[in-house]
Amino acid sequence: MTKQYWVGEFYVDLSRNQITQNQQPQVVAPKALSVLTYLAQKQGEVVSQEVLLSKVWPETVVSPNSLQRCIAQLRKALGDDGKEQIYIKTHSKQGYSLECQVKWLSDSEQVPVQVDTDSSKHHVAPANHEHASPNAVVYLNKKRLLLFILVILCSFVGAHFARQDEPQLFSVGEIRALTASDGKEFASIYSPDGNYIMFHRFSEEECVNNIWAKNLTTKQEHKLTEHIDSYGSHSFSPDGKELVFIRTMNCEKPITQKKCYQLMSMEFAKALKAPQPMNILLECKNSEIRSPHWLNNNNIALLQRESTQWQLISYSPDKNESRIIHNVTDGNIIYYDYSPKDDLFAVISIHADSQHYIETLTSSGELLSSNPIIFTPEARRHINVYANFSPIKDHLIFSTGRQFFTLSFDGTVRNVSMPLDQPAFSPSFHPDGSKALVIKGTFDFDIAAIPFTELSKAHNKLDDYIVARSTMSDNTGILQPGGSLLALSSDRSGEDQVWLYDGHTTIQLSNFPIDSDISAMKWSHDGTDLLVSVNNQLIQLQLDGKQTQHHTQHPIIELLHWDKTGHIALAFANVRGTKKLMEYDLKTNEAQLLTDKRVNWADKSEQGQLIYTDHMDRFWLSGAIEAEQITALNGYGADEQQFIIKENTIFGTNNKRELWSYNLINGALKILGKLPSNFSNISDIDNEKIVIRARISAKKEVVELVMK
């Protein structure tokens, strides 16, 4: 069959994986072009998902998300926004069709490569893009052929020498699943000798985890910890004999924080034979610690936070003392990694100029380099960069989900192509650099709407109250004021998008780019549009899909409240690397810091009063001079829970999963019922029902990427 054809005004060249319009080629993934080609063969006909999956991925089991991503790539290449659907049309519950005219080229009409002598690059240059007749095709004569060969030779030689200076990007030859259980695995690393992998296995029921090891030769798994608990990331001693990690627990007598942190160690060889007790190296009751790395000098590096700022410290177990290695004045440290091979730190931070920086330091804290990070458009959508050392000299690697990027010490970010169909965390490399571990998988959360009168029934039969069921992660679900719609954020199409559910049909409203992250959304008071915090921005969505971006002074972490009439948005923002509670005037772009306290949640009452919870889960009500604590709600805050204010009443849950209400006018506190065991958080509420997010299942596993 021909490898070149026209779709409307777009020239498709399968031999080069390109779609060209007006001599501007775009490289498109081969599978996406295979989907387009099959639709072109069936031009005007509706082709089901099942048929497309069987034709494009024969004898291969893939999820419908792979097809949906191909459709999204094609629509982007064809300039089709997915709403008007001029080229590729979606037929609900039926499939897809290609609606525009297709012209197949015969062998004599095939368009050759034309050389651009100014740019010294070869590209496809179709002649008359309406008909592409044989007379319009320009063939290379002998002179042009010689010129073409000369250019190719020069390009080859130039590329050869350029490759001596520029690092080669990663190429994955094989993907191996290393764990497969009903639990959820994360925090995977190799042992220093590369013979074992370490990982955490999480219990959904108890929301805690155990530390496990797996022998890569025998495939035998070993549970290392005696008791399930809340353990953080781990690191090996240089000789591989000990393992260090952080345990998080509730403080017995909270003073400045609810959680206390212990730096623990255990003997690895003994733990392989039987679960071992742990040694407490360090305990923090008034500061937070995370991300331990055992250094070559036998000290342990940690990130420590007092109040809001993180600093990199070095702790000596032998001397039981610590010192600061690095901090950022008027900024904050986001992440760091340590290379035992080079005895080197790489620190990601945000400075006073609000820019991200990559800094390298010796283990003693000597600053070797400090450069602003130059993001690609795809990588810029994400606030925090969690980059790890890679086998490429002077380069780290990080992930934003299904997209991977290299980050050089000079701040340059480059895209890396990795064949992953599900989101994955940043790789952790084998000591010899030949392979890497990633955590890959999905969550399944659903939105449930439960009438207050049936809370006791829903405790045992939650499935009866699920709305807009999917097998992916359905997140926020909010009720339309004065209407019948439910707006929800979900990645059911492969990307996090806003959807509208009318009680029967779910329709995609937004068309955000790949690896988008929706943190929250709010309806306007009249129910005519939505404000969404997505990719660090505030986007206003109308019900016809039209969108408007509101520019703010800082990257937005989460939208908390929206007053459309007053042009006011309350949000958590990233201010020089620190989460701050800010109020934005969307008309003037003015910003106001509302409190210096660490805040977990905030909203406004009907009278415009600010209510928030602090890092101790205490409730506060703003006043004329200072905030007043709502002492009646002491003990009613819950870890990482959101609360809702409706008609001057706060609704929330406590750690017993009890739903409660508190009237801000008369101070009445009521227990309304108990929520199901797989309840995750409250989404919305009205006079008749509560909308919650329910945890159905989670599949996270350790996967090994073998490099070519």
Side-chain angles (χ1 to χ4, degrees):
M1 193 194 78
T2 178
K3 290 185 175 293
Q4 297 173 349
Y5 59 94
W6 289 92
V7 174
E9 61 182 9
F10 290 89
Y11 177 75
V12 182
D13 188 345
L14 302 180
S15 64
R16 297 177 179 84
N17 297 325
Q18 288 181 345
I19 295 179
T20 302
Q21 183 190 35
N22 298 329
Q23 297 192 4
Q24 297 298 318
Q26 301 179 67
V27 176
V28 180
K31 287 296 184 184
L33 287 177
S34 297
V35 171
L36 179 62
T37 301
Y38 192 80
L39 290 175
Q41 292 170 345
K42 304 292 183 180
Q43 190 270 336
E45 300 179 21
V46 178
V47 182
S48 69
Q49 286 193 17
E50 291 76 15
V51 170
L52 282 169
L53 288 170
S54 65
K55 295 294 183 181
V56 177
W57 290 271
E59 300 179 359
T60 304
V61 178
V62 296
S63 71
N65 290 339
S66 300
L67 173 59
Q68 291 159 358
R69 283 193 293 275
C70 287
I71 294 293
Q73 292 172 24
L74 292 171
R75 283 176 171 158
K76 181 179 180 181
L78 298 171
D80 196 343
D81 62 7
K83 297 180 179 65
E84 297 181 7
Q85 299 186 354
I86 297 172
Y87 295 93
I88 300 175
K89 185 175 181 180
T90 301
H91 301 266
S92 180
K93 297 182 181 180
Q94 296 183 58
Y96 303 95
S97 64
L98 185 64
E99 295 297 311
C100 62
Q101 184 179 1
V102 177
K103 177 175 176 55
W104 302 94
L105 301 184
S106 65
D107 292 341
S108 61
E109 294 176 309
Q110 299 295 297
V111 179
V113 171
Q114 178 174 313
V115 175
D116 186 337
T117 57
D118 293 328
S119 63
S120 297
K121 295 180 179 179
H122 61 280
H123 60 269
V124 176
N128 186 334
H129 61 66
E130 293 182 358
H131 303 289
S133 63
N135 294 332
V137 178
V138 180
Y139 288 94
L140 294 172
N141 55 28
K142 292 183 179 179
K143 182 177 180 180
R144 287 180 175 175
L145 180 60
L146 290 173
L147 178 60
F148 172 71
I149 294 172
L150 179 62
V151 169
I152 293 299
L153 287 173
C154 291
S155 299
F156 175 79
V157 173
H160 172 75
F161 286 102
R163 281 195 294 267
Q164 294 180 359
D165 298 323
E166 296 182 4
Q168 295 298 298
L169 297 182
F170 297 96
S171 180
V172 178
E174 186 180 352
I175 301 177
R176 303 169 179 164
L178 297 184
T179 60
S181 71
D182 292 332
K184 181 176 64 177
E185 286 89 25
F186 58 99
S188 59
I189 62 170
Y190 290 98
S191 59
D193 59 12
N195 295 329
Y196 290 85
I197 62 166
M198 313 294 299
F199 59 91
H200 292 175
R201 182 160 284 157
F202 186 83
S203 167
E204 289 287 349
E205 293 76 18
E206 302 180 62
C207 294
V208 284
N209 58 283
N210 267 311
I211 301 178
W212 290 72
K214 182 170 185 173
N215 187 308
L216 294 177
T217 302
T218 66
K219 312 304 180 186
Q220 183 178 359
E221 291 186 351
H222 307 266
K223 188 174 78 168
L224 306 184
T225 45
E226 283 186 304
H227 307 291
I228 196 166
D229 213 324
S230 182
Y231 303 117
S233 60
H234 36 239
S235 175
F236 274 97
S237 59
D239 58 12
K241 292 182 178 181
E242 291 187 81
L243 193 67
V244 68
F245 48 90
I246 291 171
R247 177 192 178 206
T248 304
M249 58 188 177
N250 291 324
C251 295
E252 291 183 5
K253 295 180 180 180
I255 300 175
T256 61
Q257 58 190 35
K258 286 184 67 175
K259 299 292 184 182
C260 289
Y261 303 88
Q262 294 178 333
L263 181 65
M264 320 290 291
S265 69
M266 69 163 54
E267 294 185 52
F268 181 57
K270 289 184 178 180
L272 289 175
K273 298 176 181 178
Q276 292 293 303
M278 298 168 289
N279 303 313
I280 300 176
L281 301 178
L282 177 70
E283 187 165 9
C284 296
K285 298 180 180 179
N286 297 296
S287 66
E288 182 179 350
I289 54 174
R290 62 179 172 91
S291 305
H293 280 279
W294 214 314
L295 308 180
N296 290 345
N297 61 9
N298 278 319
N299 287 352
I300 299 170
L302 298 160
L303 284 181
Q304 180 190 35
R305 178 173 69 175
E306 292 182 285
S307 184
T308 59
Q309 191 176 42
W310 290 96
Q311 57 187 10
L312 180 61
I313 68 170
S314 175
Y315 170 71
S316 170
D318 296 334
K319 299 178 181 179
N320 191 29
E321 61 183 26
S322 65
R323 66 179 185 86
I324 298 174
I325 298 177
H326 186 61
N327 58 16
V328 179
T329 303
D330 200 19
N332 220 345
I333 294 176
I334 302 301
Y335 184 76
Y336 84 101
D337 194 24
Y338 172 71
S339 168
K341 177 183 177 182
D342 300 320
D343 195 24
L344 191 69
F345 287 114
V347 179
I348 310 296
S349 56
I350 297 179
H351 287 201
D353 59 4
S354 297
Q355 287 198 70
H356 284 75
Y357 280 74
I358 167 70
E359 297 174 299
T360 59
L361 305 94
T362 65
S363 58
S364 62
E366 178 188 355
L367 184 65
L368 301 178
S369 66
S370 178
N371 293 293
I373 298 176
I374 307 168
F375 288 101
T376 64
E378 300 92 337
R380 187 178 294 279
R381 293 196 293 267
H382 298 262
I383 292 178
N384 294 333
V385 174
Y386 305 108
N388 293 328
F389 277 97
S390 76
I392 298 180
K393 182 177 174 56
D394 297 343
H395 278 70
L396 311 176
I397 187 168
F398 66 95
S399 165
T400 59
R402 288 196 305 275
Q403 295 185 108
F404 285 78
F405 303 87
T406 57
L407 170 60
S408 66
F409 289 178
D410 66 8
T412 303
V413 174
R414 291 188 178 91
N415 292 58
V416 177
S417 176
M418 284 199 180
L420 295 177
D421 60 344
Q422 294 177 337
F425 294 100
S426 297
S428 173
F429 282 87
H430 189 277
D432 66 10
S434 64
K435 45 197 173 184
L437 300 175
V438 298
I439 303 297
K440 174 175 167 287
T442 59
F443 292 96
D444 184 2
F445 285 89
D446 284 340
I447 303 298
I450 309 172
F452 288 127
T453 56
E454 300 184 29
L455 273 176
S456 58
K457 297 180 183 178
H459 187 71
N460 297 317
K461 286 190 174 183
L462 185 61
D463 286 349
D464 295 342
Y465 305 96
I466 299 294
V467 296
R469 175 82 176 97
S470 79
T471 58
M472 301 299 286
S473 184
D474 297 337
N475 300 311
T476 304
I478 53 176
L479 301 162
Q480 181 187 30
S484 59
L485 295 175
L486 177 75
L488 64 147
S489 61
S490 173
D491 60 2
R492 58 183 61 197
S493 64
E495 307 298 337
D496 209 1
Q497 303 290 351
V498 177
W499 300 73
L500 295 178
Y501 176 68
D502 63 4
H504 304 284
T505 307
T506 306
I507 300 173
Q508 183 176 327
L509 180 62
S510 66
N511 191 27
F512 300 134
I514 186 172
D515 277 350
S516 289
D517 179 27
I518 298 174
S519 60
M521 56 187 183
K522 302 291 179 183
W523 280 103
S524 59
H525 289 304
D526 57 9
T528 58
D529 45 6
L530 292 149
L531 188 64
V532 186
S533 52
V534 54
N535 301 332
N536 313 331
Q537 301 172 330
L538 292 178
I539 303 292
Q540 189 170 337
L541 280 175
Q542 298 179 15
L543 297 187
D544 61 2
K546 293 180 181 177
Q547 66 181 47
T548 303
Q549 179 181 341
H550 292 279
H551 297 280
T552 56
Q553 295 180 18
H554 315 100
I556 299 299
I557 298 173
E558 181 183 358
L559 174 66
L560 301 166
H561 176 86
W562 181 35
D563 176 3
K564 177 184 175 183
T565 304
H567 307 286
I568 297 298
L570 185 70
F572 287 133
N574 188 302
V575 181
R576 295 186 295 278
T578 302
K579 186 173 93 171
K580 296 288 187 180
L581 179 60
M582 306 292 294
E583 185 172 86
Y584 291 92
D585 186 321
L586 300 181
K587 195 171 185 179
T588 65
N589 196 24
E590 294 179 350
Q592 179 185 0
L593 175 66
L594 297 184
T595 178
D596 277 327
K597 293 181 179 179
R598 284 169 57 188
V599 176
N600 288 341
W601 164 87
D603 202 350
K604 286 192 172 184
S605 67
E606 296 293 322
Q607 280 74 36
Q609 283 184 295
L610 175 68
I611 296 100
Y612 62 89
T613 59
D614 62 15
H615 69 291
M616 300 280 284
D617 287 330
R618 298 172 298 199
F619 286 81
W620 296 83
L621 178 65
S622 62
I625 298 178
E626 63 180 11
E628 177 185 354
Q629 187 180 351
I630 307 176
T631 56
L633 291 178
N634 285 352
Y636 281 84
D639 297 338
E640 300 181 359
Q641 282 298 321
Q642 301 293 300
F643 307 92
I644 294 172
I645 300 178
K646 288 291 178 77
E647 298 179 357
N648 292 307
T649 298
I650 306 176
F651 294 88
T653 59
N654 57 27
N655 285 324
K656 298 178 182 178
R657 301 196 314 276
E658 292 174 328
L659 176 66
W660 54 261
S661 67
Y662 176 79
N663 191 295
L664 290 165
I665 306 300
N666 59 29
L669 178 63
K670 298 179 182 178
I671 300 295
L672 304 178
K674 193 167 185 177
L675 294 171
S677 59
N678 61 340
F679 153 79
S680 176
N681 59 272
I682 301 175
S683 251
D684 205 352
I685 206 163
D686 63 13
N687 294 327
E688 299 176 351
K689 59 185 174 295
I690 179 172
V691 181
I692 68 169
R693 183 178 183 236
R695 183 177 59 253
I696 306 302
S697 66
K699 182 62 177 176
K700 294 284 184 180
E701 60 185 7
V702 183
V703 172
E704 188 174 56
L705 309 178
V706 181
M707 305 302 163
K708 286 184 179 178

